Amino acid sequence: MTLRVRGLRVTFTGSGRPVPAVRGIDFDVGANEVLGIVGESGSGKSTIGRAVLQLIKPTAGKVVWLGQDIAGLARNAMKPRRREMQIVFQDPLASLNPRMTVGDIIAEPLTTFEPNLSAADRKARVQDMMSKVGLLPQMINRYPHEFSGGQNQRIGIARAMILKPKLIVADEPVSSLDVSIRAQIINLLADLQKDTGVALMFISHDLAVVRHVSHRVLVLYLGRIM
């Protein structure tokens, strides 16, 4: 099993009393599998995705990734795992650096994790990935504001896929897009998942969308699995 989560709890302790967001849940995600996570706003679904990726630290429980519990790993120890676990964010434009070209945005993970890659090889990898997500490679030097919302989400997907990860967390990847564009992005994610065998956690509040792409569906309510 690629990912095994047991007894996951996340409690936010800001001002005032503690607020439990995730209340002790168990689930698995295998290679080449799409797990849909669906629930209304505030049910804890995005918190689960971020806790799995250690973008927020769980209050309790285990997140076992390829046989290792990563829930207690320090930041430096977690860094090598980052290339295996990537995220596609909800708001495509807000998740992209407006001062960077599309080519630099997609290449950034390569710069971090494969620093010895030559500039020519890096550019070739980026252009190949752009083609795979439906972007014209000759657009490599343009900036995010020159693209539509759907195209910016394709850029975010390309950035997440460039390192050939084993897990993608897609956190409401189409909720901010026009209805006419949503099906294109959903089908793109489904096609990439089938082609690469990446494990996919697809988070959404739309049950119809989740049903369309998922092998199994986890339904949340107030931080618990229903």
Side-chain angles (χ1 to χ4, degrees):
M1 193 59 64
T2 301
L3 176 68
R4 187 177 294 264
V5 175
R6 292 293 180 270
L8 182 68
R9 293 180 179 273
V10 179
T11 301
F12 295 113
T13 54
S15 57
R17 63 183 181 180
V19 177
V22 180
R23 306 172 185 238
I25 66 169
D26 305 334
F27 66 89
D28 301 325
V29 186
N32 203 29
E33 182 180 25
V34 181
L35 175 68
I37 301 180
V38 67
E40 62 187 18
S41 296
S43 61
K45 53 191 186 298
S46 292
T47 301
I48 290 171
R50 283 165 167 73
V52 164
L53 297 176
Q54 302 302 295
L55 298 178
I56 57 176
K57 285 294 183 182
T59 307
K62 293 183 177 182
V63 179
V64 180
W65 172 251
L66 299 177
Q68 181 186 16
D69 185 5
I70 61 174
L73 288 183
R75 184 174 181 178
N76 288 341
M78 185 64 198
K79 186 176 179 180
R81 294 294 196 185
R82 294 285 178 207
R83 69 172 300 149
E84 302 168 345
M85 312 167 76
Q86 294 291 316
I87 186 169
V88 177
F89 293 99
Q90 178 176 350
D91 188 338
L93 187 58
S95 67
L96 305 177
N97 189 331
R99 293 185 175 88
M100 294 174 68
T101 66
V102 167
D104 288 339
I105 288 169
I106 299 173
E108 190 172 21
L110 292 175
T111 304
T112 300
F113 289 100
E114 299 182 27
N116 295 326
L117 202 63
S118 70
D121 288 343
R122 186 163 54 245
K123 182 178 180 180
R125 290 265 295 271
V126 169
Q127 290 183 316
D128 179 60
M129 183 54 65
M130 289 178 71
S131 295
K132 287 179 178 177
V133 300
L135 294 169
L136 295 175
Q138 55 264 40
M139 292 178 166
I140 191 169
N141 291 320
R142 295 190 181 183
Y143 290 85
H145 72 270
E146 300 180 72
F147 293 84
S148 67
Q151 288 174 319
N152 275 314
Q153 194 59 291
R154 291 174 188 270
I155 295 165
I157 293 169
R159 177 178 60 185
M161 293 295 298
I162 192 74
L163 290 173
K164 300 177 182 178
K166 295 181 173 68
L167 174 70
I168 294 284
V169 174
D171 186 10
E172 300 264 17
V174 297
S175 64
S176 66
L177 302 178
D178 292 341
V179 174
S180 60
I181 304 299
R182 291 180 186 179
Q184 297 177 23
I185 299 301
I186 291 165
N187 290 332
L188 171 62
L189 282 168
D191 290 343
L192 288 171
Q193 191 277 325
K194 289 175 185 175
D195 291 343
T196 63
V198 65
L200 177 63
M201 289 173 57
F202 190 94
I203 297 168
S204 178
H205 63 271
D206 189 330
L207 187 56
V209 170
V210 168
R211 184 186 294 123
H212 177 70
V213 299
S214 305
H215 298 114
R216 292 185 295 120
V217 178
L218 186 157
V219 180
L220 286 177
Y221 180 69
L222 296 179
R224 293 191 174 94
I225 295 175
M226 296 290 106

